[in-house]
Amino acid sequence: LEWRGMLWIRGDQYDIIEKHTQSGLELVEKYVKFAKERTEIEQNYAKQLRNLSKKYNQKRSSKDEPECRLSSYQAFLDILTEMNDYAGQRELIAENLMMNICIDLTKYLQDLKQERKTKAQQSLESTYKQLDSKRFEREWREAERAAQHAEKTDQDINATKADVEKAKQQAHMRAHVADECKNDYAAQLQKYNKEQNQFYFSDMPLIFNKLQDLDERRIQKLAQGYVLFSDTEKHVMPIIGKCLEGITKAGTNVNEKNDSMIVIEQNKSGFERPGDLEFEDYSQGINRASSDSSLGTPKVSVDPWKKKTNNFWLFSKRSKPTVTEDFAHLPPEQRRKRLQQKLDEICKELQKEVDQSEALGKMKDVYEKNPQMGDPASLASQINQTSQNIERLRGEQSLLSTLYRKPVYFLSSPDGAYSDESTPDPSQAIYAEFDDDFEDEDLAAPIGKCTAMYNFPGASEGTIAMQEGEVLAVVEEDKGDGWTRVRRNNGDEGYIPTSYVTITLNK
């Protein structure tokens, strides 16, 4: 269907079409404005998501912090990461909306407005204005009046021959001018009719077809913009889906049992449970005091409320222990871990110094063989300093290795605090020696057996893996830290959670 065949081509119809096309252009402008506001909403949403993720990720603890090993803590960090990636996809949506809809349609709209302008109607109106029919009418009337004046003069008996001749010439001149105006008017009218015929039967249909094509292209382009509005978000939905799946995975990866085991592993002290308090018969002290008094011996003041607190250091108020390099202020299990950590750090630093020493030695050999490359004496200070560092680190390594295998004794001080002494009471000794490989020359005899109720991965240092239903030999009972030492038939030993097994001790 074409507009030229469906519309009666008149001026008012052209006005209707012009109004329709103008309304279509305004719709495009309205949609561009709508898409731009949607883009601003996406940008603000993405910005708020990034700020939210950054806000809760600002105080991220070091990887060495205890809570970083907890699955619930790690899951929250994973959620913040996925949320930040999700914000990036919202920013991509905003960018694509701006580029593919707002900017593209705005440029297309400008081209449509320029193409829509037409000068055919103005040209026809200009030709119509050139029709000087009034001049032809005026000259023809003047010619008639001149002819009537000449005839009247000719009939006047008082008029001279010269007057009659003059009037006739005037009438003839007026008639000639009127004929020229008539010819001009006829030529102009013929030109206008030709242009009008060209306009209505040729130009105007072409203009209508052009406007129809322009309007249909506008509608098609606008429809593409509508589709792009949806496709822009569809294209990032797979990545957004992965972000959401990552958040779901972070939640499913939380393992409360494993977190509990990590907390136990990090905080177990290695101390034995306190023993029973002995009964103190204060009445004997009173009787003995009376007997002594009768013998004239001085009375000894006894505070019946003063009790020993050796076994209550965990619950009693005590002064804060002083942190030392040998970590003697820590419980045995924690002390062992800190000593091992310190040993690892010294080993790394020692290896670095050894590598540097070897490199300096090679450089010195090169300088000695090729003096032009450098003076070997210039390296003496560095080699000396490196040697001192190696000697110092080896001394620290030897000392810590000794402390790592040294039994640590904790005695109660009068104020309830505990401290280590050089001459301990063997009954109060708590050994902090935990050999990771359990390479004892004489294996301890089993004191019972246990059956695993759950699977245990044994991923931590010093632990051993076990499967549900597996039977293991018990080598050492739980000392209050929640761990029992067991051994397999092949000789492998390690610790397992006491709550994961049922234990039967030998009678």
Side-chain angles (χ1 to χ4, degrees):
L1 297 178
E2 296 181 352
W3 287 0
R4 64 178 179 178
M6 298 298 294
L7 297 175
W8 184 23
I9 304 173
R10 284 185 5 184
D12 56 347
Q13 303 300 99
Y14 177 78
D15 293 341
I16 292 173
I17 292 177
E18 184 180 27
K19 183 178 180 181
H20 169 73
T21 54
Q22 178 62 32
S23 176
L25 296 179
E26 291 175 355
L27 178 61
V28 176
E29 290 179 342
K30 185 181 295 184
Y31 181 66
V32 169
K33 184 178 180 181
F34 164 76
K36 187 175 294 184
E37 291 184 6
R38 164 69 190 280
T39 299
E40 293 174 355
I41 291 174
E42 289 291 347
Q43 290 173 341
N44 292 333
Y45 180 45
K47 183 178 180 181
Q48 291 175 358
L49 287 178
R50 285 198 182 278
N51 290 338
L52 180 65
S53 179
K54 183 178 179 181
K55 174 183 177 182
Y56 285 93
N57 214 9
Q58 278 181 344
K59 299 179 180 179
R60 173 182 285 189
S61 302
S62 170
K63 292 183 178 180
D64 297 331
E65 293 294 331
E67 62 268 17
C68 290
R69 295 179 56 192
L70 301 178
S71 61
S72 56
Y73 184 86
Q74 188 59 48
F76 181 62
L77 295 182
D78 293 341
I79 290 175
L80 294 179
T81 301
E82 295 295 345
M83 186 60 64
N84 193 62
D85 294 341
Y86 179 83
Q89 297 308 310
R90 306 314 303 191
E91 289 175 343
L92 184 60
I93 291 176
E95 181 180 351
N96 290 338
L97 286 176
M98 179 61 70
M99 294 296 297
N100 299 333
I101 296 181
C102 299
I103 295 178
D104 186 55
L105 279 183
T106 299
K107 184 178 182 300
Y108 185 75
L109 185 63
Q110 294 174 351
D111 295 340
L112 286 182
K113 288 181 178 180
Q114 189 67 28
E115 186 180 352
R116 181 171 169 271
K117 294 180 179 179
T118 176
K119 297 181 179 180
Q121 182 76 14
Q122 290 84 347
S123 176
L124 181 63
E125 291 175 357
S126 176
T127 303
Y128 179 77
K129 291 179 180 178
Q130 291 178 2
L131 289 176
D132 199 358
S133 59
K134 292 183 178 180
R135 180 170 177 268
F136 168 62
E137 180 183 3
R138 184 174 64 253
E139 293 296 336
W140 185 254
R141 293 183 183 280
E142 289 293 336
E144 285 183 345
R145 283 197 293 271
Q148 292 174 1
H149 179 70
E151 184 179 354
K152 184 178 180 179
T153 302
D154 184 45
Q155 294 176 359
D156 189 1
I157 58 174
N158 297 322
T160 61
K161 185 178 180 179
D163 293 335
V164 173
E165 189 66 25
K166 182 179 179 182
K168 288 182 178 181
Q169 290 180 355
Q170 183 70 20
H172 179 71
M173 183 187 69
R174 289 291 181 183
H176 178 70
V177 172
D179 287 338
E180 289 182 349
C181 290
K182 179 181 178 181
N183 292 334
D184 290 342
Y185 174 68
Q188 292 175 358
L189 184 60
Q190 184 179 5
K191 178 182 177 182
Y192 172 76
N193 289 333
K194 183 180 179 180
E195 289 187 4
Q196 181 176 252
N197 185 70
Q198 174 72 20
F199 177 77
Y200 283 108
F201 289 92
S202 180
D203 294 344
M204 185 58 72
L206 290 177
I207 291 172
F208 276 21
N209 284 344
K210 178 182 176 181
L211 292 175
Q212 180 181 0
D213 178 68
L214 181 147
D215 193 63
E216 289 177 353
R217 284 188 286 113
R218 172 194 64 79
I219 295 173
Q220 185 180 18
K221 187 71 174 180
L222 188 58
Q224 293 174 357
Y226 293 160
V227 175
L228 277 174
F229 190 83
S230 173
D231 289 346
T232 299
E233 188 158 353
K234 284 183 179 179
H235 289 160
V236 300
M237 285 304 294
I239 302 178
I240 290 178
K242 289 183 178 180
C243 294
L244 298 178
E245 288 175 3
I247 294 176
T248 302
K249 184 178 179 182
T252 55
N253 285 342
V254 175
N255 188 328
E256 65 278 5
K257 293 290 186 182
N258 190 55
D259 285 2
S260 297
M261 299 308 302
I262 290 175
V263 172
I264 293 172
E265 177 68 21
Q266 289 175 345
N267 298 285
K268 63 182 180 181
S269 66
F271 290 110
E272 293 185 0
R273 291 188 178 91
D276 295 337
L277 291 177
E278 295 181 359
F279 178 76
E280 296 185 15
D281 192 350
Y282 295 104
S283 61
Q284 293 181 1
I286 295 174
N287 294 333
R288 185 167 52 251
S290 301
S291 176
D292 292 343
S293 177
S294 63
L295 295 175
T297 56
K299 294 183 180 181
V300 179
S301 175
V302 178
D303 185 359
W305 300 106
K306 185 175 182 181
K307 299 181 181 180
K308 297 180 181 180
T309 56
N310 292 357
N311 295 326
F312 286 92
W313 65 270
L314 181 63
F315 305 99
S316 60
K317 296 181 180 179
R318 60 184 187 275
S319 59
K320 185 176 181 181
T322 304
V323 179
T324 59
E325 285 299 325
D326 60 357
F327 306 109
H329 63 289
L330 296 176
E333 188 68 20
Q334 302 302 319
R335 181 174 188 265
R336 182 189 68 79
K337 293 180 181 179
R338 293 298 296 274
L339 286 173
Q340 182 63 54
Q341 182 181 359
K342 189 69 175 178
L343 271 173
D344 293 342
E345 293 175 358
I346 290 178
C347 287
K348 291 180 181 178
E349 190 175 354
L350 179 59
Q351 185 61 44
K352 183 178 178 182
E353 293 292 339
V354 170
D355 293 341
Q356 184 176 356
S357 178
E358 293 177 356
L360 289 172
K362 293 178 181 179
M363 187 181 297
K364 182 179 179 181
D365 292 340
V366 172
Y367 284 177
E368 289 175 349
K369 295 177 181 179
N370 303 282
Q372 67 275 9
M373 296 185 65
D375 184 11
S378 63
L379 302 176
S381 60
Q382 297 183 39
I383 294 175
N384 183 44
Q385 182 63 41
T386 304
S387 299
Q388 293 178 6
N389 292 341
I390 292 175
E391 192 67 25
R392 174 180 57 81
L393 291 172
R394 284 177 176 170
E396 293 180 5
Q397 185 184 38
S398 176
L399 176 62
L400 286 177
S401 297
T402 303
L403 291 173
Y404 185 75
R405 292 172 173 81
K406 173 188 174 183
V408 182
Y409 300 89
F410 292 87
L411 298 179
S412 296
S413 59
D415 60 353
Y418 57 87
S419 61
D420 56 337
E421 301 289 346
S422 58
T423 57
D425 180 359
S427 64
Q428 299 295 330
I430 301 175
Y431 288 82
E433 180 182 359
F434 292 89
D435 192 343
D436 295 335
D437 298 326
F438 301 102
E439 297 178 350
D440 296 335
E441 295 181 359
D442 298 327
L443 295 176
I447 61 174
K449 64 179 182 179
C450 64
T451 303
M453 296 187 294
Y454 313 101
N455 294 334
F456 178 64
S460 303
E461 179 185 3
T463 60
I464 186 172
M466 64 178 180
Q467 301 295 326
E468 182 180 354
E470 184 176 1
V471 179
L472 302 170
V474 177
V475 179
E476 183 181 307
E477 282 189 273
D478 185 351
K479 294 185 177 181
D481 55 6
W483 295 89
T484 299
R485 185 172 172 180
V486 297
R487 181 191 302 148
R488 282 200 178 91
N489 292 333
N490 60 4
D492 292 342
E493 290 189 10
Y495 285 95
I496 59 170
T498 305
S499 59
Y500 276 43
V501 294
T502 57
I503 300 175
T504 304
L505 297 178
N506 297 334
K507 296 182 180 179

